[in-house]
Amino acid sequence: MPVEIPYRRKLSFDYGKIEQIGPGIRRVIANNPSPFTFHGTGTYILGTGSVAVIDPGPDDAAHIDAIMAGLGAETVSHILITHTHMDHSPGSRRLKALTGAKTYAYGPHGAGKMESGVVVEEGGDMDFTPDCEIRHGDVLDGTNWSVECVYTPGHTSNHICFQLREAKALFTGDHVMGWSTSIVSPPDGDMGQYMQSLELLLARDDEIYWPTHGPAIDAPKPHVEAFIQHRIEREQQILNCIDEGVGRIHDMVPLMYRDTPEFMYPAAARSVLASIAYLVEKGTLATSGAVSLEGDYARTS
Ligand SMILES: [Zn+2]
């Protein structure tokens, strides 16, 4: 039996309305729903009076206006970015212009390992450069909040989570979400790093996760364990395909994703590619030439 992922999808909210969702934590959701963003980008506001904003979202004036209007006389001291996909960081430019707050992120959008001939389908925000580069373990202090930076590459090479220390609440960006698995799409996405970043979370004592998309995860560890198990099962499915003589990603996807609508196959293929790249890295699989969507894969022994 495949592992059952304890998905969480129930969420009631109004677009553009700032809501108190925990002590020192508010959220407002941008109106950019899609198969990849669920209801849209959840922008979090930490503290009161002088606040931090996590992931201002897409370049959407209405969303940034909603943040500003909801904050009223409060000021923004920090803009924190989990990673540089188009639904997370572009809104920082408008918010920065309006508030003068500095942006904090691991770094600009990365290039990844397998650049040649691979088209990236998820949009990277190539115009973003943080004012302040942050690293694993860094602590950012506001007037009545403090945040620990937790580097979690995998979904992208610059993905970082933020823990509001007062609440032991981890803002997980797209690394761990309740409504869906994360997309790990080479070249910038890296399955080996993603798995390590899941293991990293298992060793922590966060009490609740607030992903950028969808509702909170109030029992983090079983959720992370299920995601790890799920990826291990995907690896096994790939190896089963190989052992049945199916060595090309194109032919694996319909066998592995029987319950997935066909329009999601290109995204699924990139996910399979990510797992295959990891299996090649570990020495389990090999191919002639570069690791790519078009490769023909076989066991090394
Ligand atoms: Zn993302």
Side-chain angles (χ1 to χ4, degrees):
M1 273 302 281
V3 64
E4 193 133 340
I5 298 169
Y7 285 118
R8 286 161 169 74
R9 297 197 169 107
K10 255 183 84 179
L11 186 65
S12 61
F13 69 98
D14 293 316
Y15 286 119
K17 190 174 156 219
I18 295 184
E19 255 187 290
Q20 191 82 38
I21 50 173
I25 306 171
R26 286 172 281 177
R27 179 183 60 203
V28 52
I29 296 179
N31 195 349
N32 61 334
S34 82
F36 297 112
T37 64
F38 198 34
H39 298 301
T41 301
T43 298
Y44 292 98
I45 298 166
L46 309 187
T48 50
S50 175
V51 304
V53 173
I54 302 178
D55 284 353
D59 180 23
D60 173 357
H63 182 57
I64 303 302
D65 287 349
I67 295 170
M68 295 301 289
L71 285 175
E74 293 180 89
T75 56
V76 178
S77 63
H78 295 63
I79 301 170
L80 313 180
I81 305 294
T82 60
H83 67 296
T84 46
H85 275 147
M86 291 304 280
D87 53 327
H88 292 256
S89 53
S92 65
R93 292 186 274 282
R94 212 178 275 271
L95 188 62
K96 184 182 162 176
L98 291 169
T99 61
K102 285 198 165 77
T103 55
Y104 295 75
Y106 185 83
H109 198 72
K113 291 182 200 168
M114 296 186 294
E115 196 71 7
S116 61
V118 180
V119 180
V120 182
E121 288 165 20
E122 248 190 335
D125 176 7
M126 300 305 179
D127 297 330
F128 178 82
T129 310
D131 296 316
C132 306
E133 288 199 351
I134 46 177
R135 290 294 177 265
H136 186 73
D138 285 357
V139 174
L140 307 172
D141 285 314
T143 49
N144 51 21
W145 54 264
S146 121
V147 156
E148 179 195 344
C149 304
V150 182
Y151 182 47
T152 48
H155 174 67
T156 63
S157 57
N158 64 0
H159 196 290
I160 198 156
C161 298
F162 300 104
Q163 191 210 42
L164 178 63
R165 303 210 295 175
E166 291 76 8
K168 286 199 177 171
L170 190 71
F171 296 85
T172 51
D174 287 1
H175 176 45
V176 175
M177 300 181 282
W179 75 284
S180 164
T181 55
S182 298
I183 291 175
V184 179
S185 174
D188 197 47
D190 183 299
M191 189 62 76
Q193 289 187 333
Y194 171 73
M195 294 294 272
Q196 272 178 26
S197 294
L198 288 178
E199 295 285 349
L200 178 83
L201 295 198
L202 279 188
R204 295 178 49 86
D205 64 348
D206 307 293
E207 287 173 2
I208 187 167
Y209 291 170
W210 291 102
T212 300
H213 311 283
I217 302 167
D218 51 14
K221 282 196 184 171
H223 205 89
V224 173
E225 279 163 358
F227 277 156
I228 291 171
Q229 193 53 37
H230 170 70
R231 297 296 174 165
I232 292 170
E233 285 171 6
R234 286 287 188 221
E235 281 183 21
Q236 195 50 53
Q237 284 180 299
I238 290 168
L239 295 174
N240 291 346
C241 284
I242 301 269
D243 293 341
E244 283 161 27
V246 178
R248 293 185 181 274
I249 292 174
H250 233 76
D251 303 321
M252 292 179 190
V253 169
L255 299 173
M256 290 175 59
Y257 291 82
R258 291 179 197 276
D259 302 330
T260 302
E262 234 170 279
F263 80 93
M264 296 293 277
Y265 279 8
R270 303 208 63 83
S271 179
V272 174
L273 173 63
S275 287
I276 283 181
Y278 186 34
L279 286 165
V280 170
E281 201 177 292
K282 290 192 284 190
T284 311
L285 293 184
T287 183
S288 57
V291 173
S292 76
L293 278 176
E294 286 73 38
D296 194 359
Y297 297 91
R299 282 188 187 262
T300 45
S301 53

